Amino acid sequence: MKNLSEFCAKGSKVIVEMFPVNKNVTLKVTTFTSASKNKNPEIVFVAGWVSLIDGWQKVLREMTKNYTVYYVETREKNTSKVEGKVGFTIDELGNDLHNVIKHFELKDRQYILFGSSLGATTILNSCMDFVPKPMALALVGPNAYFRIPRFGKVLIRSFYPPLYLWFKPYVKWYLKNFRLDVKSDYEQYKKYCGALDAADPWKLKNAAISFFNYSVWNKLPMIDIPALIIGASKDELHEPVNLQKIVSEMKTAVYLDMETNKNTHSEEVVEKITDFLIGLKVKSERMARGK
């Protein structure tokens, strides 16, 4: 079992619970309550597809100095408990997240949603339906869609999960040689290998099939929540060009390039989010004075 005190700032309180989002799905949610006595918004943290908390250690340590964080592990991860036949669509992941937000009784416009990759896509897809509403979004590398070639879809549909141990090395080889810039950021490759090693192959297959035809484009023009979209120009897996297009389709979004996946998983990303929130507060105060 992990020593979660290593994932948060000194003095933080840690509570881990298994929360039933419906009768068939139970999610692991870790609450890091900051020792800081400030009035900062709380953060709901949704990591990427099969991502492990290990890859976010530096971010969580920095974030929990001044923010209380709810780290939500989505249903496709090996920590979830699923019974019977359940779906893994983006909409269903969003419904789970909505139920978590209601469970913790977060206040309207007093929390922010932070997510990466699939977690960020889930937030974009569903945030306008959340009650209470978030005050802002901070999203690392959201997927506009999931680029799966035709042969890949055939392979996934026919894949027999018990063969995952045999298949996994080829996935790692594909990522290393065709999708990741290992020269610029070898740590990203190591993180993905760790996630693949820990993944549940049955959930992995069902989730992948659910994402075949998904696209977030039609959701973006309706989002009026202030958003910081964080990209990494050397991380081709998350398609920086698409991230800038996402920003152009949204009403109140700004783009920040942090160059590498390593940087987006560092203490610096927390500093950038804090700067973004300070900017929102200043803008709000100026608007209030102008009335």
Side-chain angles (χ1 to χ4, degrees):
M1 183 177 292
K2 295 183 189 300
N3 179 6
L4 291 175
S5 65
E6 297 178 358
F7 288 78
C8 56
K10 186 177 181 180
S12 301
K13 294 181 180 179
V14 184
I15 296 176
V16 180
E17 63 180 290
M18 295 301 294
F19 171 61
V21 290
N22 59 47
K23 64 179 182 179
N24 297 111
V25 179
T26 300
L27 303 183
K28 181 179 180 181
V29 182
T30 303
T31 302
F32 298 95
T33 303
S34 176
S36 176
K37 303 299 182 182
N38 55 45
K39 295 183 179 180
N40 285 339
E42 297 175 309
I43 297 178
V44 179
F45 190 138
V46 192
W49 191 10
V50 302
S51 295
L52 300 176
I53 194 172
D54 305 61
W56 293 103
Q57 186 175 31
K58 292 179 180 179
V59 172
L60 286 167
R61 279 180 177 172
E62 185 68 22
M63 194 174 273
T64 51
K65 288 179 181 178
N66 295 297
Y67 301 92
T68 287
V69 179
Y70 303 93
Y71 185 88
V72 183
E73 301 189 34
T74 40
R75 64 168 68 183
E76 90 290 348
K77 294 180 174 60
N78 65 356
T79 55
S80 72
K81 295 181 180 178
V82 298
E83 297 179 0
K85 188 176 182 180
V86 302
F88 292 87
T89 65
I90 301 295
D91 286 340
E92 287 165 316
L93 298 182
N95 287 337
D96 292 348
L97 182 55
H98 191 189
N99 287 331
V100 170
I101 289 168
K102 289 192 293 184
H103 169 71
F104 286 105
E105 299 181 342
L106 302 182
K107 305 300 182 183
D108 192 64
R109 310 286 182 176
Q110 293 184 34
Y111 72 97
I112 73 170
L113 292 168
F114 174 77
S116 72
S117 192
L118 174 64
T121 304
T122 299
I123 290 169
L124 283 176
N125 184 75
S126 305
C127 62
M128 291 303 294
D129 298 323
F130 290 170
V131 179
K133 287 191 176 299
M135 68 176 292
L137 316 176
L139 308 176
V140 177
N143 306 97
Y145 59 95
F146 298 88
R147 188 184 295 279
I148 305 173
R150 184 175 299 177
F151 77 87
K153 293 180 180 180
V154 173
L155 186 62
I156 291 168
R157 286 192 184 278
S158 60
F159 176 63
Y160 184 49
L163 296 177
Y164 181 67
L165 287 177
W166 173 84
F167 184 70
K168 186 170 55 177
Y170 294 93
V171 177
K172 293 180 180 180
W173 172 83
Y174 173 74
L175 288 172
K176 184 176 183 179
N177 291 281
F178 296 100
R179 297 307 305 274
L180 301 176
D181 184 352
V182 293
K183 291 183 179 180
S184 297
D185 192 354
Y186 190 77
E187 287 299 314
Q188 183 182 16
Y189 171 68
K190 287 176 61 178
K191 284 200 297 277
Y192 284 12
C193 287
L196 288 168
D197 289 340
D200 181 319
W202 292 95
K203 293 175 184 175
L204 201 63
K205 174 179 177 176
N206 291 333
I209 291 173
S210 297
F211 305 154
F212 279 179
N213 301 311
Y214 177 78
S215 168
V216 79
W217 298 119
N218 66 324
K219 298 280 187 175
L220 300 177
M222 297 181 286
I223 300 175
D224 60 3
I225 302 167
L228 176 65
I229 306 298
I230 302 166
S233 51
K234 294 182 180 180
D235 180 6
E236 291 297 326
L237 186 65
H238 292 100
E239 306 189 35
V241 173
N242 272 342
L243 296 182
Q244 295 183 52
K245 185 177 178 183
I246 286 174
V247 171
S248 70
E249 294 289 324
M250 296 173 68
K251 295 178 180 178
T252 53
V254 295
Y255 182 68
L256 171 66
D257 178 16
M258 296 190 70
E259 292 193 351
T260 65
N261 181 272
K262 181 179 180 180
N263 290 340
T264 64
H265 288 64
S266 71
E267 297 88 346
E268 186 182 359
V269 78
V270 182
E271 297 173 11
K272 298 298 184 183
I273 292 169
T274 298
D275 290 344
F276 174 67
L277 294 175
I278 291 172
L280 291 180
K281 183 178 180 181
V282 170
K283 183 178 179 181
S284 177
E285 291 173 347
R286 285 176 179 171
M287 291 179 64
R289 289 196 298 268
K291 290 183 179 179

